[in-house]
Amino acid sequence: MKSRAYISIGIPFYNTENYLEDAICSVLAQTYQYWELILIDDGSSDKSLEIARDFESRDTRIRVISDGLNKKLPYRLNQIVREAKYDYIARMDADDLMSNHRLEKQIKVLESNKEVDFVTTGCFTIGKNNELTGVRLGDNYQMNAKMILEGVTNLLHASLLARKSWYIRNNYDESRILAEDFDLWLQAAKNNDLNYLVVEQPLYWYRVVENVTVKKMIQGYDMQMEIINSNYKGIVSVSRKNKIIRRFRLKKLVVKYLGFFNLMSVLLKSRHDDCRDQDISDYDESYTEIKRIGLF
């Protein structure tokens, strides 16, 4: 009999007391139950660590790691790889949720496609109170280094399920804060080690209100431009690189303008499609189960 594939799920958290319980409950609600959950505290000063410890005390598959320090996301993501017991590693942000079927569908893809190193998904976008605000189904195509430099992406970083062996070959650069995923894809592509599939379904639920802010976007664009300036040689010409940089600078101006006039909702809406009736039904079914678990 074929042995069951186990997954190490990593959730780093920092001051997410308002959302962490629901994130953990969405793991507990998975139809695929062969996993460990690693909760890594990044020096929280609110009740996040207390919430994580409570879940740890109730389920032996959950373990909490806390050193009291604030080392930022890229460091914690590398730490998850080091701590993972199993050959598959799933990402999730502490303020997000996921469909009950996410792990089941993703692990099936990797088990059926041995040449593929990782798989991501589409997403629902959700608001502060878990209300459904939109959908992005994702597109299944392969990026190359030039596309990544151009700012083209079909990869949702937070929904990543990867083979541990790929992560060991492709560590996060811990200095690339707020653009660690951009750098990861680019370095892997440069090494001809970017072999993936995208499940074109909204299996991950992304909380845009916490993640798409003026400050984070500006800092992310600045870091992306630094990465582009350091990596363009051998991929694009100097003139093309300069054109890409000018485009990122224009993006910064647009974000600053929208932020100044309190119009960020316009940008958020442009980043997703309206939900269909079936999307709403699927979301409601999964979310009901997540909330049921949270009552216990």
Side-chain angles (χ1 to χ4, degrees), residues 114-272:
K114 297 299 184 181
E115 76 285 0
V116 172
D117 289 310
F118 66 86
V119 59
T120 66
T121 75
C123 71
F124 284 131
T125 56
I126 58 176
K128 186 174 182 180
N129 297 309
N130 297 331
E131 68 275 18
L132 187 58
T133 60
V135 62
R136 299 200 302 259
L137 295 180
D139 296 299
N140 186 32
Y141 61 83
Q142 292 280 300
M143 291 192 300
N144 57 39
K146 183 177 183 296
M147 294 166 68
I148 296 166
L149 283 178
E150 294 275 5
V152 175
T153 182
N154 63 336
L155 293 174
L156 179 61
H157 184 217
S159 74
L160 193 66
L161 175 64
R163 301 184 194 277
K164 186 175 182 179
S165 56
W166 182 82
Y167 262 131
I168 291 172
R169 299 194 305 269
N170 296 278
N171 292 327
Y172 290 93
D173 184 331
E174 294 172 10
S175 70
R176 302 304 197 187
I177 298 168
L178 291 178
E180 63 277 344
D181 52 343
F182 180 80
D183 183 73
L184 180 68
W185 312 140
L186 180 58
Q187 301 309 326
K190 288 172 62 177
N191 293 326
N192 295 313
D193 200 10
L194 194 66
N195 189 11
Y196 65 92
L197 291 172
V198 177
V199 178
E200 296 175 320
Q201 299 175 35
L203 301 179
Y204 193 85
W205 304 350
Y206 183 65
R207 196 180 305 277
V208 292
V209 69
E210 296 293 335
N211 292 292
V212 185
T213 65
V214 172
K215 181 179 179 180
K216 283 187 175 182
M217 292 188 73
I218 294 299
Q219 290 176 341
Y221 287 149
D222 284 339
M223 182 58 73
Q224 283 179 281
M225 287 190 286
E226 182 178 320
I227 293 168
I228 291 165
N229 279 317
S230 301
N231 289 275
Y232 76 91
K233 293 180 180 179
I235 303 174
V236 297
S237 65
V238 174
S239 61
R240 186 61 192 171
K241 182 267 293 186
N242 290 337
K243 185 174 182 179
I244 294 170
I245 293 295
R246 287 196 296 271
R247 189 188 310 139
F248 272 93
R249 288 173 177 160
L250 178 60
K251 288 181 179 180
K252 285 180 58 178
L253 290 175
V254 170
V255 168
K256 288 179 179 179
Y257 173 87
L258 293 175
F260 182 81
F261 288 102
N262 199 27
L263 293 172
M264 283 295 288
S265 59
V266 175
L267 178 62
L268 299 181
K269 186 171 179 57
S270 71
R271 291 185 160 205
H272 59 72

Side-chain angles (χ1 to χ4, degrees), residues 38-159:
I38 306 168
L39 300 172
I40 298 189
D41 176 41
D42 194 36
S44 297
S45 57
D46 64 358
K47 295 182 179 179
S48 298
L49 182 56
E50 180 182 331
I51 292 168
R53 292 289 191 199
D54 180 56
F55 277 96
E56 181 185 40
S57 70
R58 290 188 269 159
D59 194 317
T60 58
R61 296 172 298 177
I62 299 174
R63 55 190 170 108
V64 176
I65 298 171
S66 179
D67 56 18
L69 302 175
N70 182 236
K71 295 186 175 182
K72 305 301 181 184
L73 182 60
Y75 178 90
R76 298 305 180 186
L77 295 177
N78 282 333
Q79 186 178 7
I80 287 168
V81 177
R82 295 192 297 269
E83 291 285 345
K85 295 179 181 178
Y86 303 126
D87 292 333
Y88 294 103
I89 300 176
R91 272 221 58 222
M92 183 179 179
D93 287 336
D95 52 357
D96 293 338
L97 300 169
M98 58 182 173
S99 162
N100 301 352
H101 305 286
R102 176 198 166 185
L103 296 182
E104 177 185 2
K105 292 187 175 183
Q106 285 186 289
I107 195 66
K108 184 177 180 180
V109 171
L110 287 183
E111 286 283 275
S112 302
N113 297 274
K114 297 299 184 181
E115 76 285 0
V116 172
D117 289 310
F118 66 86
V119 59
T120 66
T121 75
C123 71
F124 284 131
T125 56
I126 58 176
K128 186 174 182 180
N129 297 309
N130 297 331
E131 68 275 18
L132 187 58
T133 60
V135 62
R136 299 200 302 259
L137 295 180
D139 296 299
N140 186 32
Y141 61 83
Q142 292 280 300
M143 291 192 300
N144 57 39
K146 183 177 183 296
M147 294 166 68
I148 296 166
L149 283 178
E150 294 275 5
V152 175
T153 182
N154 63 336
L155 293 174
L156 179 61
H157 184 217
S159 74

